[in-house]
Amino acid sequence: MLKIILDSIKSSVISSVNTEIKILEYLKNDPTATIKELAIFLNLTTRAIEKQIAKLKKDNKLIRVGSARKGYWDVRYED
């Protein structure tokens, strides 16, 4: 039972990290991309993208420059 729980947690963490990497790579290629565009690309909800972006901003891997409407994303994370 414990192994099943640990495997589930591990899978969730790996999935989250993979999503972060995909978001950062997408925004490197298109710094003006919207949350909606990311959600469509990754087949996730906009809320899930917002949570991932909040974490990336907290970890200083992603910074929003300018306004929400005319700004762009500055990716501060290297491969």
Side-chain angles (χ1 to χ4, degrees):
M1 179 70 159
L2 183 57
K3 183 176 179 349
I4 293 171
I5 294 170
L6 289 174
D7 287 345
S8 176
I9 292 170
K10 181 180 175 184
S11 175
S12 178
V13 169
I14 290 171
S15 176
S16 179
V17 169
N18 287 339
T19 300
E20 285 183 11
I21 291 169
K22 288 177 185 176
I23 288 171
L24 292 170
E25 288 186 7
Y26 191 94
L27 293 176
K28 272 186 190 177
N29 293 322
D30 185 4
T32 60
T34 65
I35 289 173
K36 186 174 181 179
E37 290 170 344
L38 284 166
I40 291 168
F41 175 72
L42 295 171
N43 197 29
L44 295 171
T45 65
T46 55
R47 183 65 185 131
I49 298 297
E50 289 169 351
K51 286 181 178 182
Q52 291 286 338
I53 286 177
K55 182 178 182 317
L56 290 167
K57 287 167 72 174
K58 180 182 170 211
D59 294 342
N60 293 317
K61 294 180 181 178
L62 188 63
I63 296 173
R64 183 71 182 178
V65 178
S67 69
R69 197 161 182 210
K70 296 202 177 203
Y72 63 92
W73 294 104
D74 182 12
V75 177
R76 303 274 175 127
Y77 172 78
E78 295 298 323
D79 296 330

